[in-house]
Structures are given as C-alpha cells and as structure tokens.
Amino acid sequence: QAQMLRAVDGLDDVGGYGSIPFDLNFAATDLARTCAAQADGKILLAGSATTNDSEQAQIAIARVKTDGLLDPAFDSDGRLVIDLSDIGIQATQGRAYSMAVDAQGRILVAGSMVLISTGASIGFVTRILPDGWIDPVFGINGFYLEFGMETGVTAVGVDPSGRIWLLGRLLADGTGWWIFQLLDTVGNPTDNRALTFPGYGFETTIPTAMAFQPDGNVLLGGWGKTGSPDFFASMAVARILGSTLNLDPTFGGGGTGGLVITDFESAYLRAIAFQPDRSIVVAGEYGLLNQENLVVTRLSPDGTLGNAFTEYVAFDIGGSGGDGGGGMNRMVVQSDGKIVVAAAAITGDTGNVIDVGVARVLAESGLDGSFGGLGTGKRTFDMPPAGSGDGNDDFHCLTLSGGKAVLVG
C-alpha cells in the first residue's frame, strides 16, 4: 500500500492512495519493504509476495501513478514478480530490501535470497528498465549475486559518476564487518571494502543506510550493540572518499573517518539525508524494547556536533509499546531543509494494534506546527481502507514525490 500526503500541511492527498495486490497464493502476504520516487513523480514499491511453489516468496515490484493507481506502462499491469527459476537462479525466498533509480530512470532493486544448494543466504541486485522489464545487459541475466553478504544487501545506491554501491554485512549473526561492494554500469564488480568501528565494544554491528554527497563522497550508517550485560546500541556513521574508497579522516572529529553517537540509552540508525547546506541528518528509534520513540539528530557537514541538534518525536496514542520499534521508521529531508519522519505507532487497541504516525521537524529543530492539521507538527492515521481499524499497519518506507510525503507498507 502507498498513501500520499500533501506537501504544505501533511494531510491526505485527494486520490493519493493505492493498494497493490499480488495474491500469488492463499496467504497473499505481500510486503512492501522499500520505495522510491521517479523524476516524473511516479512511485516505485518493492518487497516480496508469498507463493504456493517451492520459492516460498518472490521478488515483487510495482509502480503507481500519483493518483495511486497502478501504472500500465510498467510491465503491462504495473506489477512485476520475478520467478528466479525462470532466469536460471536456483534459489528461494527472494526479498527486496532497498531500491534506487539511476540517472537514466533504470530501477535498481536489491535484497536477499536463499541458495537451494547450500541453504545459505546471499545478496542480490537486479536492474529493471523503465518499462518494467529486467535489463538483459546487467550482470548475468539481469542479476548480480553477492555471496559475501550473508543477510543480503541492506542498501543500494548510485553515486554521481554512475557507480553502483551495495551495502551489507559479512556474517548473518551480525558479528564481523560491514561490506560495501562497487559495480560498474553493467553490473560487473570493480572493488569492495570492509568497515568496522573499533574501540566501542560492539558485539554486533548492522549497516542500514547510505547517502551520496554531490562531491562523490558517501555516508554509510547503521548501528552497533554491545554484549552482556548492557546490550547498549549506538548509531554509527562513516564517510567514504569516493576517489579512493578509504575512510575520510576529516569526518567525525576523531581522525578515523567514523562517528559513533552514544548520547542515547539505546539507538538504532535507520536513515541518513542531507539538508541544503550539507548538514547531515540521521534518524531512527531510541529507548528500551517496546518503549521506543523517534530521534532525529543533525550533524555538521564534517560529521561533528558544531551545528547539531536532536529532536525527539513521540506519537503516544496508547498501548505499552513504542513508536518505530523494530526498525519500522524512516526519514527524508525536503528541499527547504525540513525533516519528515514516519513510523509505526502502537495504538493500544487489540483490534487495530498498529497505525502510522508522521511528523515534520523544522530545519533548525522543533516540530512544525503547520504540519498535520492539529497544530502539533504530527498526526497518526490508519492506513486505508481509511478508518477501518483493520489490524496492523506494517510501515517500512517513506519517500518524497513532487515534494509530497509518500508512506509505504
């Protein structure tokens, strides 16, 4: 599902809701995990659809127009389901976690699959042409398989020179290093690096987000967690020099190229973005399990706290659970520097456990009272069918289309 909110006030856009069924089996469990907006405002969604065959789940992609209707110019009906066996890949459980659109309008979709031969999970990226067909010149049969990321590709992007970046982690249990792999424009691997954050006692480290600066440098973000007895999680960010692929020693203030934010009791980074003045914004959830709220932190362009602020967002609509827990929160920055955050919000209603909350933070901190219609800078709603209170809203992605916020789940 996708819902669009008007840019000025954050209220529902007329006609701006779309429900996209794949319904490949009786369970009909179709999950949108990632989204992106094209230059023309059309909205892309990707994730997985459960199946009745041995693949169990298949990579599913859809494109909707700004009125929420499926776009028939994309794979004839607005929907694409990829059967891995049809293209010679012997794997099951195909799931998309990240997507990006390159300068030619081609769509990169990345995630994970499980090899039939070994049972091992690996990463993948495929490229889809604007008409919804798999690009035959990319990789092998339209796919590049990454065997060095045991839980799949968690983020994919394209830098200003056209190189494709894949981000993931080396080991499935979260130990080990972050890995980033570069591909050329036709999906051939060119270089890779490993990254860690020594000195913080992290037992597990998980990369979750990536953002590209106009100068070609790249920010990688995620979180690290200590072991027993504290199990303390901290946001972690590093900047990679696009020219050398080395850590940027001028970033973070410590000469290492990395920054670990330890100001919160436990915090998990889910998104990175830039304001117009190149200030860096990171966001995610913080707090004890089932007591989470959202946190937005701004850093100086050099990754220090020179012009920093931190804004906390809580929807507090009931229940004992938190907002945005389990990673169900995202953040984007508008062209005017205002920051939009959205998250799953616990309701306390046993018949409608989770709704969606959205808020807007001013460019210089503070909730934007002109957003949401209530004077508070935030609002919550039940994803359509509107007002039905029909269970759980599984929120996973936020993007901007024509300046408007689009929430996907």
Side-chain angles (χ1 to χ4, degrees):
Q1 296 183 352
Q3 176 148 339
M4 183 174 285
L5 310 180
R6 292 198 298 264
V8 175
D9 55 18
L11 301 179
D12 301 315
D13 202 8
V14 177
Y17 162 69
S19 182
I20 301 95
F22 289 91
D23 295 346
L24 301 182
N25 69 353
F26 296 116
T29 306
D30 306 331
L31 300 177
R33 298 287 187 183
T34 182
C35 60
Q38 298 184 166
D40 60 3
K42 292 179 180 178
I43 301 150
L44 296 156
L45 303 83
S48 62
T50 55
T51 68
N52 280 330
D53 63 17
S54 60
E55 285 195 28
Q56 303 175 48
Q58 294 180 340
I59 302 160
I61 307 163
R63 187 168 71 195
V64 297
K65 299 179 292 182
T66 55
D67 60 5
L69 298 177
L70 284 163
D71 181 8
F74 184 82
D75 197 44
S76 75
D77 67 351
R79 297 172 295 180
L80 170 65
V81 175
I82 300 176
D83 187 323
L84 295 173
S85 62
D86 286 348
I87 53 178
I89 299 176
Q90 300 303 305
T92 64
Q93 300 180 50
R95 293 180 171 88
Y97 300 134
S98 181
M99 69 190 317
V101 181
D102 69 14
Q104 288 74 46
R106 298 171 299 192
I107 305 152
L108 293 159
V109 177
S112 70
M113 60 180 67
V114 176
L115 296 175
I116 293 174
S117 60
T118 64
S121 178
I122 64 170
F124 77 85
V125 60
T126 183
R127 189 163 69 191
I128 311 300
L129 298 172
D131 60 5
W133 290 84
I134 297 174
D135 186 350
V137 306
F138 184 82
I140 300 175
N141 296 329
F143 273 75
Y144 168 79
L145 303 183
E146 175 49 67
F147 294 87
M149 299 179 183
E150 289 191 355
T151 53
V153 178
T154 56
V156 63
V158 184
D159 70 17
S161 66
R163 295 179 300 181
I164 299 164
W165 290 63
L166 310 179
L167 177 63
R169 67 180 189 259
L170 180 63
L171 301 176
D173 62 4
T175 61
W177 299 40
W178 296 6
I179 302 291
F180 61 93
Q181 173 70 57
L182 271 67
L183 310 179
D184 64 18
T185 57
V186 293
N188 296 317
T190 60
D191 212 334
N192 61 66
R193 294 286 193 278
L195 172 65
T196 188
F197 293 86
Y200 290 93
F202 292 148
E203 189 172 278
T204 57
T205 57
I206 311 297
T208 55
M210 180 164 47
F212 296 89
Q213 298 182 177
D215 60 7
N217 294 335
V218 184
L219 284 178
L220 307 178
W223 50 270
K225 180 181 281 188
T226 60
S228 179
D230 297 324
F231 299 106
F232 186 93
S234 300
M235 293 183 175
V237 188
R239 185 157 68 193
I240 307 299
L241 295 170
S243 58
T244 65
L245 303 186
N246 295 324
L247 285 162
D248 179 0
T250 68
F251 180 82
T256 65
L259 173 68
V260 173
I261 305 172
T262 59
D263 297 347
F264 316 108
E265 184 171 359
S266 214
Y268 302 83
L269 186 149
R270 306 296 180 181
I272 307 175
F274 299 102
Q275 291 182 310
D277 66 356
R278 297 180 56 238
S279 292
I280 300 160
V281 182
V282 298
E285 77 269 24
Y286 81 99
L288 300 176
L289 182 65
N290 295 325
Q291 300 177 39
E292 301 92 338
N293 287 311
L294 305 187
V295 59
V296 177
T297 293
R298 184 178 72 180
L299 307 172
S300 297
D302 62 359
T304 63
L305 303 178
N307 68 341
F309 70 73
T310 295
E311 189 72 36
Y312 302 96
V313 179
F315 295 106
D316 293 337
I317 56 175
S320 58
D323 299 329
M328 287 198 289
N329 64 86
R330 294 294 184 270
M331 174 273 298
V332 291
V333 173
Q334 298 181 170
S335 59
D336 59 3
K338 292 181 179 180
I339 303 158
V340 180
V341 293
I346 303 298
T347 66
D349 180 351
T350 57
N352 181 44
V353 179
I354 304 175
D355 279 350
V356 176
V358 60
R360 188 163 67 192
V361 177
L362 296 168
E364 298 296 330
S365 82
L367 287 168
D368 181 359
S370 68
F371 183 86
L374 302 173
T376 62
K378 55 187 178 180
R379 60 172 293 219
T380 60
F381 59 89
D382 185 22
M383 287 283 275
S388 64
D390 55 357
N392 296 339
D393 294 337
D394 196 31
F395 171 80
H396 283 288
C397 192
L398 172 69
T399 189
L400 294 174
S401 170
K404 301 179 181 184
V406 182
L407 290 77
V408 172

